Amino acid sequence: MAKLRIDPFIAAILATVGIASLLPASGGTATGFGIASNIAVGLLFFLYGARLSSQEALDGLRHWRLHVTVLAATFVLFPLLGLATSVLSPSLLTSPLYTGVLFLCLLPSTVQSSIAFTSIAKGNVAAAICSASVSNLLGIVVTPLLVAVLLSSDGPGVSGSAVLNIVLQLLVPFIAGQLARRWIGAWIKQHSAPLKLVDRGSILLVVYTAFSEGMTEGIWHKLDIGPLLVLLGVCVVLLAVVLTVTGTGAKLLGFDRADRITILFCGSKKSLASGLPMATVLFGHAQVGLIVLPLMLFHQIQLIVCAALARRYAREAPADEPGQLVTA
């Protein structure tokens, strides 16, 4: 049962979706929430920039073969699989859900869970920290570019104003956070627990605003149980394929056990924390509700599956191999 426990953050997101469904913001209130949501996204990426050590990422780049393998899984393998799901649209997957699946496949890897699962499984934690950090750094630029290139003009795309919003809401705050890190980095480390509440509160505000607008626009009337079940199957298959390819590929490329574990966990994750605010900036509040459903579903599936895998790897680890604990 512990393996099936829903992630508390996902539970909070689902609760927020429920509140937005019953008590959606509208009119002037919705406008206010929209402004607050935009500010929250900027704050979120400022904190990402202030928290992320660029030097730590640069120091770990010496293990370049591992990092290239992880980035290839994140920004090449996943997008190709996402494009392959186009055969299911629109007959089995609605256009917004297919857009959501493709958007999911274009996101960077997670940081926290990638490192944590690598640590539990006794993999190369230092390499995991570097790979996950570099993935998130690149994702701020690469994900919007891939969305612009791969999403057709028939669906929700990226306009010139959206590109400007990406720069102003994501990249500028992130760079500002990196520049401010020398003065506030130590303070942020000391207050990581309360600031995590700010992170998650910002994301919940984004979710409430997006789903409220979706309710007022009536998009939920377009969601049937059939496409939802297909979406569940797509998420399961996506994760299974990526886990198989990264695990087998890392072995064929000659990586040792610790590195293979790092590639497996860092290469198979997608970041909910980055994805939700990015989707709001890229697609607008009205459309984003259905588009982020694949990401929310995939996130919970990856946590359940990877937790089980990490425990199995830990049990199979050589007796003389030390455990590595990570609090990130």
Side-chain angles (χ1 to χ4, degrees), residues 61 63-74 76 131 255 263:
L61 286 177
H63 205 351
W64 63 270
R65 287 181 65 247
L66 182 146
H67 304 314
V68 168
T69 304
V70 171
L71 291 174
T74 303
V76 179
S131 282
F255 288 100
I263 292 168

Side-chain angles (χ1 to χ4, degrees), residues 163-175:
V163 172
L164 180 61
N165 285 337
I166 291 163
V167 173
L168 293 178
Q169 287 188 255
L170 306 184
L171 192 57
V172 169
F174 182 86
I175 293 173

Side-chain angles (χ1 to χ4, degrees), residues 234-265:
V234 167
C235 289
V236 171
V237 171
L238 272 177
L239 183 60
V241 171
V242 173
L243 287 172
T244 300
V245 172
T246 52
T248 304
K251 190 171 184 178
L252 292 174
L253 290 171
F255 288 100
D256 63 24
R257 179 186 181 277
D259 287 348
R260 291 199 303 269
I261 288 171
T262 302
I263 292 168
L264 181 80
F265 288 121

